[in-house]
Structure formats: C-alpha cells, structure tokens
Amino acid sequence: MRKKIVSMEEAISHIKDGMTVHFGGFLACGTAENIVTALIEKGVKDLTIVCNDTGFVDRGVGRLVVNNQVKKVIASHIGTNPETGKKMHDGTMEVELVPQGTLAERVRAAGYGLGGVLTPTGLGTVVQEGKSIVNVDGKDYLLEKPIKADVAVLFGSKVDEQGNVICEKTTKNFNPLMATAADVVIVEALEIVPAGSLSPEHLDISKIFVDYIVESK
C-alpha cells in the first residue's frame, strides 16, 4: 500500500502555475483552508479554479482571488466575495458563471467519462452564447461540456490511512463529486484514523480516488 499521508509541502508540490483546480466547499464550508493558506504562501499563480462559489475575502478560495493568484473562476455565484466581481468587471480575471446544477453535472460528466450533459437551463439567456443546441424529441437543450481538473483540493472530516473519506453534514457539498474528476486528488483531513476503522457504507469518497492526504491544523 502506497503511503498517502504526506507533508503539506509535498501535497501542494503537485499544484503548479496555470493548472485547473477543483475546490470543494460551499461558502467556505468544507473548503480545505490549510491548503489554501499553503498555496498563498507558495505563490502559485494563473490558476483556473472550479468551485461552487468564491467564498469570502478572508475565507475559502476567496483568499486566492484577493491575492491575485487566479486567472479564471468557474463558479455558480460570486456575490459573497466583492473582489471577484471587481476583478471580473475590470478585466483582470475571467469569470464563467454556471448554474449550480449545471456546474455539478459538468463535473459529474468528467468523472463518469461522459461527453457532456443536455440541459434546458440557460436557453434564451447569455448562458447559451457559444454553445451547441441539441434537439431531442422536439425539445431544445444546451450541450454543456465536462469540467475536468488537473488537481482536486478537497476536505474530509474523517479520513483513514488508505484515503477513504467521510464528509460530515454539509461539508459533503461538492467534495465527493469533485473527487472523481481530477488527475490528482488531495484531501485535507480534519481527523486521520487507522485503516479499516470507517464503515464502508458511510464513506463519501473511496480510497481509489484519493492520491494524497494532509492533516488539517
């Protein structure tokens, strides 16, 4: 069994300038805050981040936005972080707004190996611009393409030494979904427990998806 528990330095060495990174979390709940801090200290830049939202100026992935380390955001809303909107309007950062359900399904499509999803959400709006329209049985749908990342940065409440993860309560949000849709998956663990101590039926993320574990401080 390959040792998955690593130092923070080793874990973030896999996140390089210009990469696309999935971040779990919903308004900073279930976001790997210690990894975000380490990325700020490292100074990695020109990231494309995929997330439900951009958190706040002082919490979640919003801190990366404030620190000018993000070149593009793909998210469902940005209203809780005024810096995101400011950078979008002054042209210093690209923002792609995606309806929340569509965002989840695009990530899921990448994880499941699908070529995309068809949805009526966004038809007749700016969301439709530049996208293919597919007619199925007389009804139009937008073709939304998969969103895959180089790295997923996730949070787990309890993580065993093999990488099985339980995300308690609302920390589940995007974390289990994003685990399936990245080349490298890093989990920040609130608590690391011995292998075999977590009940399989309670797992949110299987060890097969997890590459590295760092302990949350």
Side-chain angles (χ1 to χ4, degrees), residues 145-164:
K145 295 182 179 179
I147 306 176
K148 185 178 179 182
D150 300 298
V151 180
V153 173
L154 311 177
F155 176 85
S157 305
K158 290 185 178 180
V159 183
D160 76 14
E161 297 163 323
Q162 294 180 323
N164 293 304

Side-chain angles (χ1 to χ4, degrees), residues 120-137:
T121 303
L123 278 170
T125 73
V126 293
V127 174
Q128 177 180 317
E129 294 176 6
K131 295 177 181 176
S132 299
I133 299 175
V134 178
N135 187 280
V136 180
D137 295 332

Side-chain angles (χ1 to χ4, degrees), residues 44-46 63-71 83 87 92:
V44 62
K45 60 185 186 298
D46 296 328
R63 294 188 289 142
L64 293 169
V65 172
V66 170
N67 208 43
N68 301 313
Q69 293 174 260
V70 180
K71 70 174 182 181
E83 282 299 308
K87 291 178 184 297
T92 56

Side-chain angles (χ1 to χ4, degrees), residues 64-138:
L64 293 169
V65 172
V66 170
N67 208 43
N68 301 313
Q69 293 174 260
V70 180
K71 70 174 182 181
K72 181 177 181 179
V73 169
I74 302 174
S76 68
H77 69 91
I78 59 173
T80 56
N81 187 341
E83 282 299 308
T84 307
K86 179 181 177 182
K87 291 178 184 297
M88 176 178 71
H89 288 298
D90 67 20
T92 56
M93 186 178 72
E94 183 181 354
V95 176
E96 179 182 346
L97 291 171
V98 182
Q100 190 176 75
T102 302
L103 178 65
E105 290 306 311
R106 290 179 68 185
V107 173
R108 191 190 312 277
Y112 284 27
L114 303 178
V117 293
L118 298 179
T119 176
T121 303
L123 278 170
T125 73
V126 293
V127 174
Q128 177 180 317
E129 294 176 6
K131 295 177 181 176
S132 299
I133 299 175
V134 178
N135 187 280
V136 180
D137 295 332

